[in-house]
């Protein structure tokens, strides 16, 4: 040890060296770090309502009664019907709470649920419209259930018309079916609205689809929309990054094995598509991102897509695109649809203000 170094500095150096040696022992040849179990308290700054919701999510559930499983793949259609039935009372409550009308229409050949405020569209929004894209891993959900969780509140808060689309999903259909459907509806809306007056957003798979559809618009040489929102997602079909591995543990789930390809819930829709294609993962192409409109990204520190969202914002900024990233402490995947907690309502306010700022009246 050098004679010129202070006792405090020497102690710090010894501590750092010991820590580095300890860490090195836990890292294998592939750079995979073995992290021991640790205790993670509920975030201190989280609202009481969100704390209660998180604790309910973490509370152990009794095992489901054993039932005979049918041979063959799951009945996707039956599963979707069950989800839809479960959301009927939730959507009805949201309708009454926020005062909106729902109407089923066909736009550009695509089935849609059009949401409008009961007290009318604001004058500044007569030439502006939003496209809502539901989540569900590209295999489940539809516009009237998952899609309403963040569509109804935003339509009411911004006093704007929102068109929630029922795009094609897997396993019946494969990429780029959903992008094609969004483009078909977008072309139809362009007959009534200027491109700069059209916004598009979605949560989870819907957020990724918003990015994929924006890339698809470029391929089809369609005008750029006024703004988009990639919520609870990134422009990355791999959902890659640190949070994909550490967040499951924070929610009481088993993290994926980093030595194996991650399990993609979206695989039935992805099919054999190249996940590194700019049309599938726009994040890989600076040229594609360069042509993106102003983009909003929302995620939480207990959301497995957090890294994908952070990386997307970083790449958009590098490409010269205005990209706003909002991260809520302790929030989980798809919290933007939770109108029953302050953080969800705050996120909905951010969405409304973002589109009000960037869409031309």
């Amino acid at each position: 040890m050098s004679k010129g170094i202070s006792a405090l500095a020497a102690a710090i150096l010894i501590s750092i060296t010991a820590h580095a040696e300890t860490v090195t022992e836990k890292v294998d040849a592939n750079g995979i770090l073995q992290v021991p179990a640790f205790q993670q308290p509920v975030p201190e700054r989280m609202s009481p309502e969100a704390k209660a919701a998180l604790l309910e999510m973490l509370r152990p559930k009794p095992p489901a009664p054993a039932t005979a499983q049918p041979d063959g793949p799951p009945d996707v259609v039956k599963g979707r019907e069950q989800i839809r039935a479960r959301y009927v009372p939730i959507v009805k409550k949201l309708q009454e709470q926020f005062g909106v009308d729902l109407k089923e229409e066909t736009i550009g050949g695509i089935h849609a649920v059009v949401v409008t405020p009961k007290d009318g569209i604001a004058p500044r929004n007569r030439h502006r419209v939003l496209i809502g894209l539901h989540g569900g891993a590209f295999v489940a959900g539809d516009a009237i259930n998952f899609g309403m969780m963040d569509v109804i509140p935003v339509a009411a808060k911004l006093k704007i018309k929102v068109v929630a689309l029922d795009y094609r999903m897997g396993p019946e259909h494969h990429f780029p079916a959903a992008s094609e459907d969004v483009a078909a509806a977008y072309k139809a809306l362009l007959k009534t609205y200027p491109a700069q007056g059209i916004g598009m957003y979605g949560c989870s798979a819907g957020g990724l689809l918003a990015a994929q559809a924006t890339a698809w618009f470029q391929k089809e040489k369609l005008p750029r929309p006024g703004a988009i929102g990639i919520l609870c997602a990134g422009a990355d079909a791999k959902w890659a990054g640190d949070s994909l591995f550490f967040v499951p543990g924070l929610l009481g789930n088993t993290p994926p094995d980093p030595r194996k390809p991650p399990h993609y819930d979206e695989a039935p829709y992805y099919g054999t598509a190249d996940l590194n294609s700019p049309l599938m993962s726009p994040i890989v192409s600076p040229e594609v991102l360069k042509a993106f409109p102003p983009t909003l990204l929302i995620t939480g520190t207990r959301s497995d897509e957090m890294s994908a969202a952070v990386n997307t914002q970083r790449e958009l900024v590098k490409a010269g695109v205005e990209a706003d990233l909002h991260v809520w402490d302790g929030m989980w995947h798809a919290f933007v649809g939770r109108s029953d907690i302050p953080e969800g309502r705050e996120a909905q306010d951010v969405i409304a203000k973002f589109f009000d700022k960037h869409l031309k009246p």
Side-chain angles (χ1 to χ4, degrees):
M1 192 73 65
S2 170
K3 292 182 179 180
I5 192 169
S6 70
L8 176 59
I12 293 174
L13 182 59
I14 291 172
S15 175
I16 292 174
T17 303
H19 174 70
E21 291 173 352
T22 301
V23 170
T24 302
E25 293 172 358
K26 298 176 182 177
V27 179
D28 67 14
N30 295 316
I32 297 174
L33 176 65
Q34 305 298 321
V35 181
F38 62 93
Q39 295 182 338
Q40 180 69 32
V42 173
E44 184 177 350
R45 306 300 181 193
M46 183 183 282
S47 71
E49 296 90 337
K51 286 181 180 179
L54 179 59
L55 291 174
E56 177 61 28
M57 292 170 60
L58 295 174
R59 185 173 292 117
K61 305 294 189 297
T67 57
Q69 296 298 317
D71 295 332
D75 187 336
V76 175
V77 174
K78 185 177 180 180
R80 291 174 190 158
E81 291 174 349
Q82 292 173 341
I83 292 172
R84 187 167 190 171
R86 189 167 76 242
Y87 274 83
V88 167
I90 298 175
V91 172
K92 185 177 180 180
K93 182 178 179 181
L94 284 175
Q95 250 189 292
E96 295 171 351
Q97 177 184 350
F98 288 97
V100 297
D101 291 319
L102 274 57
K103 182 181 179 182
E104 296 189 56
E105 294 185 17
T106 298
I107 300 177
I110 310 303
H111 179 263
V113 177
V114 178
V115 182
T116 53
K118 282 186 178 295
D119 55 359
I121 294 171
R124 66 185 279 105
N125 290 329
R126 288 173 183 163
H127 300 287
R128 303 200 293 188
V129 67
L130 293 177
I131 297 173
L133 304 172
H134 69 81
F138 291 104
V139 296
D142 56 28
I144 197 64
N145 57 56
F146 285 169
M148 292 297 104
M149 298 301 98
D150 48 52
V151 162
I152 287 177
V154 171
K157 290 172 182 288
L158 189 52
K159 295 192 178 301
I160 194 171
K161 175 180 177 179
V162 184
V163 177
L165 299 180
D166 273 322
Y167 52 86
R168 285 173 292 169
M169 300 184 291
E172 305 96 319
H173 306 283
H174 298 100
F175 177 85
S179 297
E180 292 172 340
D181 289 351
V182 178
Y186 183 58
K187 287 179 184 177
L189 290 172
L190 284 171
K191 297 176 181 178
T192 306
Y193 300 92
Q196 288 299 308
I198 301 177
M200 177 171 59
Y201 74 103
C203 177
S204 191
L208 172 58
L209 179 55
Q212 292 175 337
T214 301
W216 193 261
F217 293 170
Q218 295 177 32
K219 173 185 174 296
E220 296 296 306
K221 296 184 169 43
L222 296 173
R224 183 175 68 178
I228 66 170
I230 304 175
L231 317 177
C232 328
D236 185 356
K238 289 185 174 181
W239 304 80
D242 270 355
S243 61
L244 187 66
F245 296 93
F246 71 72
V247 163
L250 298 181
L251 295 176
N253 302 316
T254 302
D257 185 344
R259 295 176 179 80
K260 299 178 181 178
H263 170 70
Y264 297 113
D265 291 334
E266 297 82 3
Y269 171 71
Y270 287 175
T272 58
D274 179 7
L275 300 187
N276 286 317
S277 160
L279 293 175
M280 177 65 92
S281 297
I283 193 173
V284 304
S285 173
E287 287 304 310
V288 168
L289 293 181
K290 186 177 179 181
F292 266 45
T295 301
L296 171 67
L297 297 110
I298 289 179
T299 187
T301 59
R302 295 199 186 194
S303 300
D304 55 6
E305 84 284 340
M306 181 176 67
S307 290
V310 169
N311 289 334
T312 297
Q313 193 250 4
R314 172 186 169 208
E315 294 300 325
L316 283 167
V317 170
K318 284 165 59 178
V321 176
E322 182 176 347
D324 292 356
L325 173 64
H326 295 255
V327 184
W328 270 263
D329 187 34
M331 288 298 101
W332 50 88
H333 184 63
F335 79 96
V336 297
R338 294 290 298 265
S339 298
D340 58 329
I341 61 174
E343 289 85 346
R345 296 192 293 271
E346 290 168 13
Q348 295 159 5
D349 288 338
V350 167
I351 297 167
K353 290 176 182 177
F354 177 82
F355 284 115
D356 190 42
K357 174 183 177 182
H358 292 287
L359 298 185
K360 288 189 175 179

